[in-house]
Amino acid sequence: MIPRWNTAVFITFLCCLLGGCHNNNKEHVEERYVAFSANTNTLDARLVVPHVHKSHDAIILLVHGDGAMDHSANGYFDPVINTLTRKRYATMSWSKPGIGESTGNWLAQTMPQRAEEVRSAIRYLRDNGYPDNPIGVVGFSQASWVLAELHSEPEIEFAALVGGAANWREQSKYTMWLRLIDEQKIHADDHSVWPEISELNEIEYQLIKSGYDTYQGSDLHLHPFMGTPLEDEARFNFVRTNIDSDVSLGFSQIHFPLLALFGDSDTRVDVDHSQQIFASTIGAPDKLTQKVISNASHSLLKTDLPVRAALYLTEDDFAPGALDALIAWLDAQAHQPAP
């Protein structure tokens, strides 16, 4: 039997967790749950607006990376939203198609369709009380390919990327290399394996392009360097549809300034490759700012998180300087006064 005082503590903790007591900013914002149409779907969205928000204050659209994400990115967005709203930014985020109350299927999406969601969110804001507010985007990981599709969107005044990938296939090679090191099949300093990694990646690419049945019928994944094949057909089709994603063309035409933030301990994106491609395609130094955050993961979280982080995240779970770097850059673009 649990002692009475322990039960009370547990109930208090549970109520605190479910009630969001880790969010100490709620009394200063208005939180609205809205819906807007995008493509053929209706998307469940969350709009968080500071009470002091004015017509000249910016609204930040938060764009997901990969995966089945609700409007909070399964809790990851919450500390980001808290940080932004304290600085007078409103935020808008939405559940992917088929997640929460959103209709559709996110695994059936292309990057241009994901970009159309951003345009639709902007139209919703313009038609529902925010005709003049500056609009910026903060995207995560796969959102780099979404932003590349939005290069000429006149309503976007600035954008930031966290852990942005440049090219899907190059990212696949990089994650394969890291996996082989982790499995102790290769050494990190053995560069002679790269031709084989590239060859296997090309063979897998051709199989994916050939379709699900051809891919499943191949014995490629018996090779000791290959990982587990894609079993889920919906996920396979998502990969097949988007595997040629690349930022180069879109970023070469981008009209708004871009901040690219990376963690120095990223295990999903080749930071050096992304920085190189971003710099060579965007070109103008006044259009691109890149920064690597020390002791930070792909999502800019600390590399050593407390057990509590499995339940919910706070700003303290982000690597030192990560959110500060984001806010400082956004303030410079949105002309926000210093606090």
Side-chain angles (χ1 to χ4, degrees):
M1 183 176 179
I2 301 175
R4 188 169 182 176
W5 67 270
N6 277 347
T7 302
V9 169
F10 174 76
I11 292 173
T12 301
F13 171 77
L14 185 60
C15 291
C16 178
L17 177 60
L18 295 176
C21 69
H22 52 280
N23 179 0
N24 56 12
N25 200 36
K26 283 196 169 184
E27 64 188 56
H28 303 294
V29 301
E30 180 183 357
E31 206 166 10
R32 306 176 206 161
Y33 293 91
V34 301
F36 67 95
S37 297
N39 302 303
T40 59
N41 300 319
T42 299
L43 300 182
D44 172 35
R46 177 188 181 196
L47 180 62
V48 185
V49 183
H51 291 318
V52 295
H53 198 253
K54 306 297 183 183
S55 62
H56 60 271
D57 291 323
I59 303 173
I60 304 297
L61 305 182
L62 301 176
V63 180
H64 295 295
D66 197 4
M69 299 286 184
D70 66 6
H71 49 63
S72 74
N74 303 330
Y76 171 77
F77 280 172
D78 290 341
V80 178
I81 291 171
N82 291 343
T83 299
L84 289 168
T85 53
R86 272 202 299 272
K87 297 295 185 177
R88 296 212 328 269
Y89 294 98
T91 67
M92 186 176 182
S93 55
W94 51 93
S95 300
K96 285 190 176 184
I99 306 301
E101 299 299 317
S102 293
T103 63
N105 181 2
W106 69 273
L107 284 171
Q109 287 191 298
T110 64
M111 297 304 157
Q113 288 171 332
R114 293 200 61 202
E116 184 57 32
E117 290 181 348
V118 176
R119 296 188 186 96
S120 297
I122 293 171
R123 286 194 292 270
Y124 174 87
L125 291 169
R126 294 305 189 216
D127 293 342
N128 289 273
Y130 302 94
D132 303 313
N133 295 79
I135 289 179
V137 173
V138 176
F140 302 83
S141 191
Q142 191 185 91
S144 55
W145 300 316
V146 179
L147 275 178
E149 298 288 341
L150 294 164
H151 55 81
S152 298
E153 172 52 52
E155 293 276 18
I156 297 176
E157 296 194 16
F158 49 88
L161 270 174
V162 172
N167 178 280
W168 186 301
R169 293 181 64 192
E170 290 299 320
Q171 183 183 4
S172 295
K173 294 178 189 177
Y174 179 71
T175 54
M176 181 179 182
W177 177 69
L178 289 178
R179 176 177 55 77
L180 292 173
I181 294 171
D182 187 59
E183 293 173 352
Q184 299 184 336
K185 292 180 179 178
I186 64 172
H187 295 288
D189 56 356
D190 183 5
H191 299 289
S192 66
V193 301
W194 276 105
E196 188 167 7
I197 288 175
S198 295
E199 181 181 359
L200 291 168
N201 187 270
E202 175 63 24
I203 295 171
E204 184 174 45
Y205 171 76
Q206 295 299 334
L207 287 169
I208 289 171
K209 284 296 190 178
S210 296
Y212 183 73
D213 291 340
T214 301
Y215 175 83
Q216 288 295 327
S218 168
D219 62 359
L220 174 65
H221 289 86
L222 297 178
H223 190 288
F225 277 13
M226 295 302 296
T228 303
L230 293 165
E231 298 288 351
D232 181 75
E233 189 169 3
R235 177 66 189 182
F236 172 88
N237 288 329
F238 178 79
V239 172
R240 185 171 184 245
T241 299
N242 294 291
I243 197 170
D244 292 309
S245 296
D246 183 276
V247 301
S248 299
L249 180 60
F251 277 15
S252 69
Q253 304 172 67
I254 205 164
H255 82 91
F256 44 79
L258 177 69
L259 169 68
L261 292 175
F262 301 95
D264 67 348
S265 300
D266 196 319
T267 58
R268 297 188 185 181
V269 166
D270 185 341
V271 172
D272 290 340
H273 178 261
S274 285
Q275 287 190 305
Q276 177 186 351
I277 298 301
F278 291 5
S280 64
T281 54
I282 295 176
D286 60 327
K287 284 279 181 66
L288 176 66
T289 301
Q290 304 200 80
K291 184 178 179 64
V292 178
I293 304 297
S294 299
N295 303 313
S297 68
H298 175 63
S299 52
L300 300 186
L301 296 172
K302 292 175 180 175
T303 54
D304 186 17
L305 290 170
V307 174
R308 184 264 312 143
L311 299 174
Y312 64 87
L313 294 171
T314 72
E315 288 115 305
D316 288 340
D317 295 319
F318 282 78
L323 293 177
D324 289 341
L326 174 63
I327 290 294
W329 187 86
L330 291 176
D331 283 352
Q333 308 310 312
H335 308 293
Q336 296 271 33

PDB file of all heavy atoms in Angstrom, residues 171-199:
ATOM      1  N   GLN A 171      21.374  12.665 -46.902  1.00  0.00           N
ATOM      2  CA  GLN A 171      21.055  12.428 -45.493  1.00  0.00           C
ATOM      3  C   GLN A 171      20.993  10.932 -45.202  1.00  0.00           C
ATOM      4  O   GLN A 171      21.452  10.462 -44.158  1.00  0.00           O
ATOM      5  CB  GLN A 171      19.724  13.092 -45.139  1.00  0.00           C
ATOM      6  CG  GLN A 171      19.344  12.948 -43.664  1.00  0.00           C
ATOM      7  CD  GLN A 171      17.977  13.541 -43.347  1.00  0.00           C
ATOM      8  OE1 GLN A 171      17.270  13.992 -44.236  1.00  0.00           O
ATOM      9  NE2 GLN A 171      17.616  13.535 -42.073  1.00  0.00           N
ATOM     10  N   SER A 172      20.445  10.159 -46.147  1.00  0.00           N
ATOM     11  CA  SER A 172      20.357   8.708 -45.962  1.00  0.00           C
ATOM     12  C   SER A 172      21.745   8.068 -45.874  1.00  0.00           C
ATOM     13  O   SER A 172      21.980   7.166 -45.064  1.00  0.00           O
ATOM     14  CB  SER A 172      19.570   8.077 -47.112  1.00  0.00           C
ATOM     15  OG  SER A 172      18.232   8.521 -47.108  1.00  0.00           O
ATOM     16  N   LYS A 173      22.668   8.545 -46.703  1.00  0.00           N
ATOM     17  CA  LYS A 173      24.039   8.028 -46.648  1.00  0.00           C
ATOM     18  C   LYS A 173      24.679   8.332 -45.296  1.00  0.00           C
ATOM     19  O   LYS A 173      25.360   7.489 -44.704  1.00  0.00           O
ATOM     20  CB  LYS A 173      24.885   8.646 -47.762  1.00  0.00           C
ATOM     21  CG  LYS A 173      24.491   8.260 -49.168  1.00  0.00           C
ATOM     22  CD  LYS A 173      25.379   8.996 -50.170  1.00  0.00           C
ATOM     23  CE  LYS A 173      24.890   8.819 -51.584  1.00  0.00           C
ATOM     24  NZ  LYS A 173      25.713   9.589 -52.552  1.00  0.00           N
ATOM     25  N   TYR A 174      24.453   9.544 -44.830  1.00  0.00           N
ATOM     26  CA  TYR A 174      25.040   9.975 -43.563  1.00  0.00           C
ATOM     27  C   TYR A 174      24.512   9.136 -42.393  1.00  0.00           C
ATOM     28  O   TYR A 174      25.286   8.666 -41.546  1.00  0.00           O
ATOM     29  CB  TYR A 174      24.744  11.456 -43.336  1.00  0.00           C
ATOM     30  CG  TYR A 174      25.289  12.013 -42.048  1.00  0.00           C
ATOM     31  CD1 TYR A 174      26.663  12.195 -41.865  1.00  0.00           C
ATOM     32  CD2 TYR A 174      24.429  12.382 -41.006  1.00  0.00           C
ATOM     33  CE1 TYR A 174      27.164  12.709 -40.670  1.00  0.00           C
ATOM     34  CE2 TYR A 174      24.923  12.908 -39.824  1.00  0.00           C
ATOM     35  CZ  TYR A 174      26.290  13.057 -39.660  1.00  0.00           C
ATOM     36  OH  TYR A 174      26.785  13.568 -38.481  1.00  0.00           O
ATOM     37  N   THR A 175      23.184   8.936 -42.339  1.00  0.00           N
ATOM     38  CA  THR A 175      22.621   8.158 -41.235  1.00  0.00           C
ATOM     39  C   THR A 175      23.053   6.691 -41.323  1.00  0.00           C
ATOM     40  O   THR A 175      23.223   6.025 -40.299  1.00  0.00           O
ATOM     41  CB  THR A 175      21.089   8.262 -41.205  1.00  0.00           C
ATOM     42  OG1 THR A 175      20.551   7.889 -42.481  1.00  0.00           O
ATOM     43  CG2 THR A 175      20.656   9.683 -40.882  1.00  0.00           C
ATOM     44  N   MET A 176      23.257   6.190 -42.542  1.00  0.00           N
ATOM     45  CA  MET A 176      23.759   4.828 -42.710  1.00  0.00           C
ATOM     46  C   MET A 176      25.182   4.715 -42.169  1.00  0.00           C
ATOM     47  O   MET A 176      25.522   3.762 -41.451  1.00  0.00           O
ATOM     48  CB  MET A 176      23.740   4.442 -44.189  1.00  0.00           C
ATOM     49  CG  MET A 176      24.226   3.026 -44.483  1.00  0.00           C
ATOM     50  SD  MET A 176      24.113   2.683 -46.263  1.00  0.00           S
ATOM     51  CE  MET A 176      24.690   0.976 -46.291  1.00  0.00           C
ATOM     52  N   TRP A 177      26.003   5.699 -42.469  1.00  0.00           N
ATOM     53  CA  TRP A 177      27.385   5.739 -41.982  1.00  0.00           C
ATOM     54  C   TRP A 177      27.413   5.753 -40.455  1.00  0.00           C
ATOM     55  O   TRP A 177      28.158   4.976 -39.828  1.00  0.00           O
ATOM     56  CB  TRP A 177      28.086   6.963 -42.555  1.00  0.00           C
ATOM     57  CG  TRP A 177      29.486   7.184 -42.086  1.00  0.00           C
ATOM     58  CD1 TRP A 177      30.592   6.432 -42.371  1.00  0.00           C
ATOM     59  CD2 TRP A 177      29.941   8.253 -41.240  1.00  0.00           C
ATOM     60  NE1 TRP A 177      31.706   6.969 -41.762  1.00  0.00           N
ATOM     61  CE2 TRP A 177      31.332   8.085 -41.062  1.00  0.00           C
ATOM     62  CE3 TRP A 177      29.315   9.341 -40.633  1.00  0.00           C
ATOM     63  CZ2 TRP A 177      32.099   8.961 -40.289  1.00  0.00           C
ATOM     64  CZ3 TRP A 177      30.076  10.212 -39.873  1.00  0.00           C
ATOM     65  CH2 TRP A 177      31.446  10.007 -39.706  1.00  0.00           C
ATOM     66  N   LEU A 178      26.576   6.591 -39.849  1.00  0.00           N
ATOM     67  CA  LEU A 178      26.522   6.659 -38.383  1.00  0.00           C
ATOM     68  C   LEU A 178      26.037   5.343 -37.785  1.00  0.00           C
ATOM     69  O   LEU A 178      26.548   4.893 -36.757  1.00  0.00           O
ATOM     70  CB  LEU A 178      25.609   7.799 -37.941  1.00  0.00           C
ATOM     71  CG  LEU A 178      26.113   9.223 -38.154  1.00  0.00           C
ATOM     72  CD1 LEU A 178      25.053  10.221 -37.707  1.00  0.00           C
ATOM     73  CD2 LEU A 178      27.423   9.482 -37.421  1.00  0.00           C
ATOM     74  N   ARG A 179      25.056   4.736 -38.430  1.00  0.00           N
ATOM     75  CA  ARG A 179      24.544   3.452 -37.930  1.00  0.00           C
ATOM     76  C   ARG A 179      25.619   2.369 -37.976  1.00  0.00           C
ATOM     77  O   ARG A 179      25.767   1.579 -37.029  1.00  0.00           O
ATOM     78  CB  ARG A 179      23.324   3.010 -38.746  1.00  0.00           C
ATOM     79  CG  ARG A 179      22.776   1.638 -38.356  1.00  0.00           C
ATOM     80  CD  ARG A 179      21.543   1.267 -39.136  1.00  0.00           C
ATOM     81  NE  ARG A 179      21.740   1.319 -40.566  1.00  0.00           N
ATOM     82  CZ  ARG A 179      22.391   0.395 -41.289  1.00  0.00           C
ATOM     83  NH1 ARG A 179      22.932  -0.653 -40.691  1.00  0.00           N
ATOM     84  NH2 ARG A 179      22.506   0.513 -42.595  1.00  0.00           N
ATOM     85  N   LEU A 180      26.383   2.325 -39.045  1.00  0.00           N
ATOM     86  CA  LEU A 180      27.442   1.323 -39.178  1.00  0.00           C
ATOM     87  C   LEU A 180      28.537   1.519 -38.124  1.00  0.00           C
ATOM     88  O   LEU A 180      29.090   0.545 -37.607  1.00  0.00           O
ATOM     89  CB  LEU A 180      28.036   1.367 -40.588  1.00  0.00           C
ATOM     90  CG  LEU A 180      27.104   0.899 -41.706  1.00  0.00           C
ATOM     91  CD1 LEU A 180      27.742   1.150 -43.067  1.00  0.00           C
ATOM     92  CD2 LEU A 180      26.742  -0.567 -41.530  1.00  0.00           C
ATOM     93  N   ILE A 181      28.819   2.777 -37.799  1.00  0.00           N
ATOM     94  CA  ILE A 181      29.775   3.052 -36.726  1.00  0.00           C
ATOM     95  C   ILE A 181      29.216   2.567 -35.398  1.00  0.00           C
ATOM     96  O   ILE A 181      29.909   1.902 -34.608  1.00  0.00           O
ATOM     97  CB  ILE A 181      30.106   4.561 -36.652  1.00  0.00           C
ATOM     98  CG1 ILE A 181      30.862   4.993 -37.914  1.00  0.00           C
ATOM     99  CG2 ILE A 181      30.927   4.876 -35.400  1.00  0.00           C
ATOM    100  CD1 ILE A 181      31.028   6.491 -38.024  1.00  0.00           C
ATOM    101  N   ASP A 182      27.937   2.870 -35.149  1.00  0.00           N
ATOM    102  CA  ASP A 182      27.298   2.472 -33.896  1.00  0.00           C
ATOM    103  C   ASP A 182      27.242   0.944 -33.766  1.00  0.00           C
ATOM    104  O   ASP A 182      27.379   0.410 -32.659  1.00  0.00           O
ATOM    105  CB  ASP A 182      25.890   3.065 -33.834  1.00  0.00           C
ATOM    106  CG  ASP A 182      25.217   2.835 -32.505  1.00  0.00           C
ATOM    107  OD1 ASP A 182      25.763   3.280 -31.479  1.00  0.00           O
ATOM    108  OD2 ASP A 182      24.149   2.199 -32.478  1.00  0.00           O
ATOM    109  N   GLU A 183      27.055   0.261 -34.887  1.00  0.00           N
ATOM    110  CA  GLU A 183      27.012  -1.205 -34.879  1.00  0.00           C
ATOM    111  C   GLU A 183      28.403  -1.831 -34.921  1.00  0.00           C
ATOM    112  O   GLU A 183      28.521  -3.059 -34.958  1.00  0.00           O
ATOM    113  CB  GLU A 183      26.188  -1.688 -36.077  1.00  0.00           C
ATOM    114  CG  GLU A 183      24.710  -1.322 -35.995  1.00  0.00           C
ATOM    115  CD  GLU A 183      23.948  -1.666 -37.272  1.00  0.00           C
ATOM    116  OE1 GLU A 183      24.597  -2.055 -38.278  1.00  0.00           O
ATOM    117  OE2 GLU A 183      22.710  -1.547 -37.270  1.00  0.00           O
ATOM    118  N   GLN A 184      29.423  -0.967 -34.914  1.00  0.00           N
ATOM    119  CA  GLN A 184      30.825  -1.401 -34.912  1.00  0.00           C
ATOM    120  C   GLN A 184      31.178  -2.242 -36.156  1.00  0.00           C
ATOM    121  O   GLN A 184      32.018  -3.137 -36.093  1.00  0.00           O
ATOM    122  CB  GLN A 184      31.154  -2.162 -33.629  1.00  0.00           C
ATOM    123  CG  GLN A 184      30.983  -1.329 -32.372  1.00  0.00           C
ATOM    124  CD  GLN A 184      31.394  -2.042 -31.107  1.00  0.00           C
ATOM    125  OE1 GLN A 184      31.412  -3.277 -31.035  1.00  0.00           O
ATOM    126  NE2 GLN A 184      31.757  -1.278 -30.085  1.00  0.00           N
ATOM    127  N   LYS A 185      30.532  -1.910 -37.257  1.00  0.00           N
ATOM    128  CA  LYS A 185      30.842  -2.586 -38.514  1.00  0.00           C
ATOM    129  C   LYS A 185      31.916  -1.839 -39.306  1.00  0.00           C
ATOM    130  O   LYS A 185      32.543  -2.405 -40.203  1.00  0.00           O
ATOM    131  CB  LYS A 185      29.569  -2.739 -39.353  1.00  0.00           C
ATOM    132  CG  LYS A 185      28.563  -3.706 -38.745  1.00  0.00           C
ATOM    133  CD  LYS A 185      27.310  -3.840 -39.601  1.00  0.00           C
ATOM    134  CE  LYS A 185      26.340  -4.835 -38.982  1.00  0.00           C
ATOM    135  NZ  LYS A 185      25.083  -4.952 -39.778  1.00  0.00           N
ATOM    136  N   ILE A 186      32.084  -0.555 -38.989  1.00  0.00           N
ATOM    137  CA  ILE A 186      33.137   0.241 -39.608  1.00  0.00           C
ATOM    138  C   ILE A 186      33.736   1.144 -38.536  1.00  0.00           C
ATOM    139  O   ILE A 186      33.157   1.327 -37.460  1.00  0.00           O
ATOM    140  CB  ILE A 186      32.612   1.097 -40.775  1.00  0.00           C
ATOM    141  CG1 ILE A 186      31.598   2.144 -40.263  1.00  0.00           C
ATOM    142  CG2 ILE A 186      31.997   0.220 -41.872  1.00  0.00           C
ATOM    143  CD1 ILE A 186      31.172   3.147 -41.316  1.00  0.00           C
ATOM    144  N   HIS A 187      34.893   1.723 -38.856  1.00  0.00           N
ATOM    145  CA  HIS A 187      35.512   2.719 -37.984  1.00  0.00           C
ATOM    146  C   HIS A 187      35.232   4.106 -38.540  1.00  0.00           C
ATOM    147  O   HIS A 187      35.163   4.295 -39.760  1.00  0.00           O
ATOM    148  CB  HIS A 187      37.024   2.493 -37.897  1.00  0.00           C
ATOM    149  CG  HIS A 187      37.392   1.194 -37.239  1.00  0.00           C
ATOM    150  ND1 HIS A 187      37.246   0.976 -35.894  1.00  0.00           N
ATOM    151  CD2 HIS A 187      37.903   0.040 -37.762  1.00  0.00           C
ATOM    152  CE1 HIS A 187      37.647  -0.246 -35.594  1.00  0.00           C
ATOM    153  NE2 HIS A 187      38.042  -0.841 -36.721  1.00  0.00           N
ATOM    154  N   ALA A 188      35.067   5.059 -37.662  1.00  0.00           N
ATOM    155  CA  ALA A 188      34.721   6.414 -38.075  1.00  0.00           C
ATOM    156  C   ALA A 188      35.760   7.034 -38.998  1.00  0.00           C
ATOM    157  O   ALA A 188      35.436   7.882 -39.832  1.00  0.00           O
ATOM    158  CB  ALA A 188      34.516   7.296 -36.842  1.00  0.00           C
ATOM    159  N   ASP A 189      37.018   6.621 -38.852  1.00  0.00           N
ATOM    160  CA  ASP A 189      38.077   7.214 -39.679  1.00  0.00           C
ATOM    161  C   ASP A 189      38.392   6.394 -40.928  1.00  0.00           C
ATOM    162  O   ASP A 189      39.352   6.664 -41.643  1.00  0.00           O
ATOM    163  CB  ASP A 189      39.358   7.401 -38.851  1.00  0.00           C
ATOM    164  CG  ASP A 189      39.841   6.092 -38.223  1.00  0.00           C
ATOM    165  OD1 ASP A 189      39.145   5.069 -38.372  1.00  0.00           O
ATOM    166  OD2 ASP A 189      40.912   6.117 -37.585  1.00  0.00           O
ATOM    167  N   ASP A 190      37.556   5.393 -41.223  1.00  0.00           N
ATOM    168  CA  ASP A 190      37.774   4.563 -42.407  1.00  0.00           C
ATOM    169  C   ASP A 190      36.969   5.126 -43.575  1.00  0.00           C
ATOM    170  O   ASP A 190      35.800   4.784 -43.781  1.00  0.00           O
ATOM    171  CB  ASP A 190      37.356   3.120 -42.111  1.00  0.00           C
ATOM    172  CG  ASP A 190      37.622   2.198 -43.290  1.00  0.00           C
ATOM    173  OD1 ASP A 190      38.212   2.663 -44.293  1.00  0.00           O
ATOM    174  OD2 ASP A 190      37.229   1.018 -43.222  1.00  0.00           O
ATOM    175  N   HIS A 191      37.588   5.985 -44.364  1.00  0.00           N
ATOM    176  CA  HIS A 191      36.887   6.642 -45.467  1.00  0.00           C
ATOM    177  C   HIS A 191      36.762   5.740 -46.689  1.00  0.00           C
ATOM    178  O   HIS A 191      36.044   6.085 -47.634  1.00  0.00           O
ATOM    179  CB  HIS A 191      37.608   7.934 -45.842  1.00  0.00           C
ATOM    180  CG  HIS A 191      37.658   8.928 -44.717  1.00  0.00           C
ATOM    181  ND1 HIS A 191      36.547   9.616 -44.276  1.00  0.00           N
ATOM    182  CD2 HIS A 191      38.694   9.336 -43.926  1.00  0.00           C
ATOM    183  CE1 HIS A 191      36.882  10.406 -43.266  1.00  0.00           C
ATOM    184  NE2 HIS A 191      38.179  10.252 -43.033  1.00  0.00           N
ATOM    185  N   SER A 192      37.410   4.601 -46.658  1.00  0.00           N
ATOM    186  CA  SER A 192      37.338   3.688 -47.805  1.00  0.00           C
ATOM    187  C   SER A 192      35.960   3.053 -47.955  1.00  0.00           C
ATOM    188  O   SER A 192      35.651   2.471 -49.009  1.00  0.00           O
ATOM    189  CB  SER A 192      38.395   2.588 -47.665  1.00  0.00           C
ATOM    190  OG  SER A 192      38.110   1.748 -46.561  1.00  0.00           O
ATOM    191  N   VAL A 193      35.107   3.149 -46.923  1.00  0.00           N
ATOM    192  CA  VAL A 193      33.785   2.530 -47.001  1.00  0.00           C
ATOM    193  C   VAL A 193      32.779   3.389 -47.757  1.00  0.00           C
ATOM    194  O   VAL A 193      31.714   2.896 -48.143  1.00  0.00           O
ATOM    195  CB  VAL A 193      33.227   2.234 -45.588  1.00  0.00           C
ATOM    196  CG1 VAL A 193      34.142   1.306 -44.820  1.00  0.00           C
ATOM    197  CG2 VAL A 193      32.984   3.519 -44.806  1.00  0.00           C
ATOM    198  N   TRP A 194      33.109   4.655 -47.999  1.00  0.00           N
ATOM    199  CA  TRP A 194      32.129   5.550 -48.605  1.00  0.00           C
ATOM    200  C   TRP A 194      31.684   5.128 -50.001  1.00  0.00           C
ATOM    201  O   TRP A 194      30.494   5.229 -50.317  1.00  0.00           O
ATOM    202  CB  TRP A 194      32.650   6.992 -48.603  1.00  0.00           C
ATOM    203  CG  TRP A 194      32.367   7.661 -47.288  1.00  0.00           C
ATOM    204  CD1 TRP A 194      33.261   7.934 -46.299  1.00  0.00           C
ATOM    205  CD2 TRP A 194      31.102   8.111 -46.802  1.00  0.00           C
ATOM    206  NE1 TRP A 194      32.641   8.525 -45.228  1.00  0.00           N
ATOM    207  CE2 TRP A 194      31.309   8.651 -45.518  1.00  0.00           C
ATOM    208  CE3 TRP A 194      29.812   8.113 -47.331  1.00  0.00           C
ATOM    209  CZ2 TRP A 194      30.268   9.192 -44.754  1.00  0.00           C
ATOM    210  CZ3 TRP A 194      28.779   8.654 -46.568  1.00  0.00           C
ATOM    211  CH2 TRP A 194      29.011   9.179 -45.294  1.00  0.00           C
ATOM    212  N   PRO A 195      32.583   4.645 -50.861  1.00  0.00           N
ATOM    213  CA  PRO A 195      32.089   4.173 -52.169  1.00  0.00           C
ATOM    214  C   PRO A 195      31.053   3.052 -52.045  1.00  0.00           C
ATOM    215  O   PRO A 195      30.071   3.018 -52.800  1.00  0.00           O
ATOM    216  CB  PRO A 195      33.367   3.685 -52.867  1.00  0.00           C
ATOM    217  CG  PRO A 195      34.452   4.503 -52.250  1.00  0.00           C
ATOM    218  CD  PRO A 195      34.053   4.661 -50.810  1.00  0.00           C
ATOM    219  N   GLU A 196      31.254   2.141 -51.091  1.00  0.00           N
ATOM    220  CA  GLU A 196      30.294   1.060 -50.910  1.00  0.00           C
ATOM    221  C   GLU A 196      28.976   1.585 -50.359  1.00  0.00           C
ATOM    222  O   GLU A 196      27.894   1.140 -50.770  1.00  0.00           O
ATOM    223  CB  GLU A 196      30.862  -0.026 -49.998  1.00  0.00           C
ATOM    224  CG  GLU A 196      29.982  -1.267 -49.924  1.00  0.00           C
ATOM    225  CD  GLU A 196      30.678  -2.450 -49.274  1.00  0.00           C
ATOM    226  OE1 GLU A 196      31.803  -2.274 -48.758  1.00  0.00           O
ATOM    227  OE2 GLU A 196      30.079  -3.544 -49.289  1.00  0.00           O
ATOM    228  N   ILE A 197      29.048   2.532 -49.427  1.00  0.00           N
ATOM    229  CA  ILE A 197      27.827   3.142 -48.900  1.00  0.00           C
ATOM    230  C   ILE A 197      27.062   3.826 -50.029  1.00  0.00           C
ATOM    231  O   ILE A 197      25.829   3.675 -50.151  1.00  0.00           O
ATOM    232  CB  ILE A 197      28.170   4.145 -47.778  1.00  0.00           C
ATOM    233  CG1 ILE A 197      28.607   3.406 -46.518  1.00  0.00           C
ATOM    234  CG2 ILE A 197      26.966   5.048 -47.473  1.00  0.00           C
ATOM    235  CD1 ILE A 197      29.080   4.309 -45.397  1.00  0.00           C
ATOM    236  N   SER A 198      27.777   4.545 -50.890  1.00  0.00           N
ATOM    237  CA  SER A 198      27.131   5.237 -52.010  1.00  0.00           C
ATOM    238  C   SER A 198      26.501   4.243 -52.982  1.00  0.00           C
ATOM    239  O   SER A 198      25.385   4.459 -53.485  1.00  0.00           O
ATOM    240  CB  SER A 198      28.144   6.122 -52.740  1.00  0.00           C
ATOM    241  OG  SER A 198      28.601   7.154 -51.894  1.00  0.00           O
ATOM    242  N   GLU A 199      27.203   3.144 -53.250  1.00  0.00           N
ATOM    243  CA  GLU A 199      26.679   2.137 -54.176  1.00  0.00           C
ATOM    244  C   GLU A 199      25.417   1.480 -53.624  1.00  0.00           C
ATOM    245  O   GLU A 199      24.420   1.314 -54.344  1.00  0.00           O
ATOM    246  CB  GLU A 199      27.743   1.074 -54.446  1.00  0.00           C
ATOM    247  CG  GLU A 199      27.285  -0.004 -55.429  1.00  0.00           C
ATOM    248  CD  GLU A 199      28.336  -1.070 -55.664  1.00  0.00           C
ATOM    249  OE1 GLU A 199      29.441  -0.971 -55.072  1.00  0.00           O
ATOM    250  OE2 GLU A 199      28.058  -2.004 -56.441  1.00  0.00           O
TER     251      GLU A 199
END
